[in-house]
Amino acid sequence: MKNKVFKQGRRFLSLILSVTLLCACAPMKQPPASPSWAEYEQYHAKNLSAQNKFDQLTNDLFRKEISESGISFHFSIADPASRGLDTVPLTLGDYSMEKMKEGTKELLELKKNLDGFNQRQLTDEQRFTWQILRSYIDTELSSDGLELYAQPLTNTIGIQAQLPILFSEYAFYTRNDVDHYLALLSTIDDYYGQIMEFEKKKSEAGLFMSDTSADNVLKSCEAYLIQPDHSFLAETFNTRIDALTDLTPEEKAAYKEKNLKVLEEHFIPAYKNLATGITSLMGTGTNDKGLSWYPKGKEYFEYLVKSNTGTSYGSIRSLTKAIEKQLNSDIQAIGQITKEHPEVLNALDNYSFHYTKPAEILESLKSLISNDFPELPDCSYTVKYVPSSLESSLSPAFYLVPPLDRYEDNVIYINGNPRFQNEDLFTTLAHEGYPGHLYQNVYFLSRKPNDIRSLLSFPSYSEGWATYVEFYSYTLDNGLNPELGKLLAHNTAVTLGLYAYLDICINYEGWDKDQTAKYLGTFYNIEKTDIVDSIYTSLIDNPTNYMEYYVGYMEIMEMLNTSKKILKDDFNLKDFHTFLLDVGPAPFTVIQPAFRNWLAKQLRSH
């Protein structure tokens, strides 16, 4: 999980050489005089000065943003002193309208500072970072005035569902980390109090969630309303304390007692107050349909699409057409497979992969992908299971992004809830592990990008990549009939694409539940009321969530198909994957021009 915060190219000499070669091609009446060494040094100094200033700007930005929240601080960097940071922010942040307005002013100031740079004077890497930051700023500024449309509390991916997991994974490197952890956990009631004040403002503006959505949030809160000594936060805390070597047994026992006290006096009251506050506001949410039924709902949906997908498509209409095109492509592929290989239909309800245990699956994936993906540096992973009390309120699986200076240590969670028993663990771990989230993050962080890029959140790149490789994993030597693997990949893509399409229909076009049910029944033979209700409620609670996955997958597929079409026999899948991994998390509006440059270089090299 990445917090959505402010969220080796050629150097100057190479650029000078390329410019010189281009100039030499133009006809001239007489050759120009060679620049003097003094002139060259002056030109060189201006570029170096601009590059140093840009580094200073991004370093200052990183230090500022990382200091806004103690959780972000700890999960972003394991050794703060290496970046000159010696003060841990003992706060979970400021969730208020005032802070949001202040953030808008800061974005405007940052935009002004960025526009003061001449991009030609920056290195390739700095220029790319500049473009990413500029795109990010423009997107976030488009939400000015729409702050109350934000949804901090939602089932599964809301703050109240995910924050405790982050606390349970808060690493204890030294006793100082234990003190910081307890101090941060002690502020959770105040932090949730801020969120409830925000929800009250939403209610006053007529923007509070529907009672159905509120019920779902209340259910997620119930999982944390248990005795402190029976809480998974007590269990995980004790395990981390016992692993420390710089504490005496007496000190460890004292810390364990203090943790139980903080859970009793702050954590559990935080969830009780949250539940009480939500209950008191129930009935004030008058809209039980999609975003478009709010006064500025369409405008906010457009912002969410830009922010969460970073799509290269310029309008919702053009994006919808692209989704329809990809959906039809996958549906046609299914039809072709079943026509040519009808026997695969008999195996749909009874198939199995070679490996079924997490460790075996991940190790087999590491081997199976070696031909199509670049090699990773050494790293490790730990597979954990979601605590049983949280199974009903969390995703089927998830990966925790490691600190930028400790990418070697990775954690994957699997949800053992029976409702996920039909999920294919092999492809799920391809999504979360190799060559999915774990692989992509380790690769990116090992290349030591600009620190600010580790804070930027571009979920559609990350989830699009993980979805793309998840579908890819169906076609590996995994125990499946190859044609069955292709069928399952296309079928899963259709399901995800359907959710993305309905997301637009419900939250932008204004479809109600009856229209949604009619569409699902007519085109997909889905007529069970409980399934329709589940889909409809999920898309209302989490607008653009499924689009993050599908639009990212779709953008990658478009680049892949373009590469194959243009490069033909010279196309190399490993080279394509290396390009996407080298680019790293970014909006597709920035990635697409970089892709065209890469494609042109591939053509020239062949």
Side-chain angles (χ1 to χ4, degrees):
M1 302 173 187
K2 272 193 179 176
N3 297 294
K4 189 172 182 181
V5 293
F6 232 25
K7 226 169 190 104
Q8 303 292 333
R10 292 170 298 166
R11 286 281 178 176
F12 168 76
L13 184 58
S14 299
L15 294 174
I16 287 294
L17 288 173
S18 65
V19 170
T20 303
L21 289 171
L22 285 172
C23 291
C25 296
M28 295 183 179
K29 292 183 179 179
Q30 59 182 28
S34 298
S36 67
W37 183 248
E39 289 173 327
Y40 172 80
E41 281 192 326
Q42 185 180 24
Y43 187 40
H44 185 62
K46 286 182 179 179
N47 283 267
L48 287 178
S49 175
Q51 292 162 16
N52 290 335
K53 285 181 180 178
F54 185 80
D55 283 341
Q56 186 63 53
L57 173 69
T58 55
N59 288 339
D60 290 345
L61 183 60
F62 173 80
R63 291 162 63 90
K64 177 186 177 301
E65 292 300 326
I66 203 177
S67 299
E68 295 285 342
S69 161
I71 286 287
S72 295
F73 188 95
H74 189 74
F75 276 85
S76 296
I77 188 163
D79 181 17
S82 67
R83 302 303 194 275
L85 295 162
D86 53 10
T87 303
V88 178
L90 300 180
T91 173
L92 292 175
D94 182 352
Y95 205 102
S96 66
M97 284 289 291
E98 292 74 21
K99 182 63 177 178
M100 293 177 183
K101 290 297 185 184
E102 179 186 327
T104 298
K105 293 179 181 178
E106 291 173 351
L107 284 175
L108 288 169
E109 182 64 24
L110 178 58
K111 180 179 179 179
K112 180 180 178 181
N113 290 336
L114 282 176
D115 288 345
F117 285 93
N118 180 347
Q119 289 190 64
R120 294 180 180 179
Q121 295 178 323
L122 303 179
T123 66
D124 287 351
E125 183 181 354
Q126 288 178 325
R127 192 178 306 113
F128 195 68
T129 301
W130 186 98
Q131 292 167 356
I132 291 172
L133 283 170
R134 193 63 167 74
S135 174
Y136 179 92
I137 292 169
D138 287 342
T139 297
E140 295 309 308
L141 286 176
S142 69
S143 69
D144 186 31
L146 303 173
E147 291 84 3
L148 287 174
Y149 282 82
Q151 296 173 290
L153 305 176
T154 64
N155 190 28
T156 305
I157 63 173
I159 292 174
Q160 87 292 342
Q162 295 191 351
L163 185 55
I165 290 293
L166 294 178
F167 272 118
S168 74
E169 286 297 328
Y170 193 103
F172 294 165
Y173 304 116
T174 67
R175 69 163 65 223
N176 288 337
D177 295 313
V178 184
D179 292 328
H180 298 155
Y181 169 91
L182 292 170
L184 283 170
L185 189 59
S186 298
T187 68
I188 192 171
D189 43 358
D190 291 335
Y191 184 59
Y192 281 5
Q194 291 180 5
I195 292 177
M196 275 314 307
E197 288 301 313
F198 181 79
E199 292 292 342
K200 289 176 183 177
K201 286 184 169 61
K202 283 174 66 74
S203 175
E204 293 168 1
L207 301 175
F208 189 66
M209 68 187 86
S210 69
D211 285 357
T212 300
S213 298
D215 276 333
N216 290 333
V217 173
L218 288 173
K219 288 176 183 176
S220 73
C221 290
E222 290 173 3
Y224 303 107
L225 298 177
I226 57 177
Q227 291 298 318
D229 54 354
H230 289 86
S231 169
F232 78 100
L233 282 177
E235 179 183 341
T236 56
F237 180 88
N238 294 346
T239 300
R240 284 171 285 164
I241 281 289
D242 289 337
L244 285 175
T245 58
D246 61 341
L247 295 177
T248 66
E250 293 76 18
E251 288 173 325
K252 290 180 180 181
Y255 270 129
K256 291 176 182 178
E257 283 299 317
K258 187 173 182 180
N259 180 52
L260 291 177
K261 186 176 182 181
V262 171
L263 288 173
E264 181 179 4
E265 296 180 356
H266 296 280
F267 181 81
I268 293 175
Y271 276 88
K272 285 183 178 178
N273 293 337
L274 199 61
T276 300
I278 293 170
T279 302
S280 69
L281 294 177
M282 289 180 71
T284 66
T286 57
N287 177 26
D288 60 357
K289 295 190 279 292
L291 271 176
S292 67
W293 290 83
Y294 290 113
K296 294 184 178 180
K298 279 195 172 187
E299 187 179 343
Y300 187 67
F301 185 78
E302 289 172 345
Y303 155 73
L304 285 180
V305 170
K306 290 179 184 177
S307 179
N308 293 337
T309 75
T311 183
S312 61
Y313 289 91
S315 67
I316 301 295
R317 182 179 295 276
S318 60
L319 179 59
T320 304
K321 289 182 178 179
I323 292 174
E324 290 173 337
K325 181 180 177 182
Q326 183 62 50
L327 262 173
N328 289 333
S329 174
D330 283 311
I331 291 172
Q332 288 171 9
I334 291 173
Q336 190 68 23
I337 293 171
T338 55
K339 179 181 178 181
E340 297 177 358
H341 304 276
E343 70 279 2
V344 299
L345 294 173
N346 298 325
L348 282 175
D349 296 324
N350 187 28
Y351 64 86
S352 61
F353 292 86
H354 277 318
Y355 303 103
T356 56
K357 295 180 180 179
E360 293 178 340
I361 291 172
L362 288 166
E363 289 304 309
S364 69
L365 282 166
K366 286 169 67 174
S367 175
L368 290 168
I369 68 173
S370 59
N371 289 334
D372 291 338
F373 296 83
E375 189 176 353
L376 275 191
D378 290 337
C379 64
S380 64
Y381 59 83
T382 302
V383 176
K384 300 182 179 182
Y385 283 87
V386 170
S388 57
S389 60
L390 306 183
E391 288 179 346
S392 62
S393 60
L394 291 176
S395 305
F398 52 91
Y399 164 78
L400 294 179
V401 178
L404 64 90
D405 56 344
R406 205 180 179 96
Y407 62 80
E408 299 88 354
D409 302 330
N410 298 272
V411 176
I412 296 173
Y413 268 93
I414 298 174
N415 192 334
N417 192 308
R419 67 192 174 106
F420 301 130
Q421 63 184 355
N422 293 325
E423 300 281 342
D424 291 322
L425 189 57
F426 184 90
T427 54
T428 296
L429 289 178
H431 183 110
E432 305 297 344
Y434 295 92
H437 288 314
L438 183 154
Y439 178 95
Q440 182 266 311
N441 278 280
V442 169
Y443 183 96
F444 181 65
L445 293 176
S446 70
R447 293 173 63 81
K448 302 189 183 304
N450 188 307
D451 284 348
I452 192 63
R453 291 195 62 188
S454 69
L455 296 186
L456 293 166
S457 176
F458 298 105
S460 205
Y461 170 90
S462 302
E463 296 298 352
W465 168 265
T467 301
Y468 161 75
V469 297
E470 175 187 342
F471 297 162
Y472 159 92
S473 72
Y474 277 105
T475 66
L476 294 171
D477 182 13
N478 51 32
L480 298 183
N481 175 311
E483 296 304 322
L484 174 61
K486 293 177 185 177
L487 178 65
L488 291 171
H490 287 297
N491 186 65
T492 307
V494 168
T495 302
L496 186 58
L498 173 61
Y499 273 73
Y501 178 74
L502 287 176
D503 197 338
I504 295 174
C505 294
I506 292 169
N507 286 301
Y508 193 74
E509 300 298 340
W511 283 15
D512 59 22
K513 192 179 294 184
D514 290 339
Q515 287 172 291
T516 305
K518 183 178 179 180
Y519 175 83
L520 289 171
T522 302
F523 295 103
Y524 292 91
N525 202 30
I526 299 175
E527 296 181 342
K528 290 186 178 180
T529 304
D530 57 336
I531 296 178
V532 174
D533 288 349
S534 176
I535 293 174
Y536 191 77
T537 301
S538 176
L539 293 173
I540 287 175
D541 286 351
N542 306 293
T544 74
N545 181 47
Y546 290 98
M547 292 180 71
E548 292 176 9
Y549 298 74
Y550 192 75
V551 173
Y553 154 75
M554 185 177 70
E555 296 261 8
I556 291 173
M557 286 301 297
E558 287 179 349
M559 288 186 279
L560 175 67
N561 293 332
T562 299
S563 300
K564 289 180 176 179
K565 182 179 179 181
I566 293 178
L567 297 176
K568 298 177 182 175
D569 292 341
D570 292 324
F571 173 77
N572 182 284
L573 186 57
K574 188 173 185 176
D575 290 344
F576 175 73
H577 289 158
T578 302
F579 157 73
L580 284 174
L581 291 162
D582 285 345
V583 164
F588 288 101
T589 50
V590 176
I591 293 174
Q592 285 287 358
F595 166 68
R596 290 191 289 271
N597 289 336
W598 172 82
L599 197 55
K601 289 179 181 178
Q602 294 294 305
L603 279 171
R604 289 196 298 269
S605 67
H606 293 301

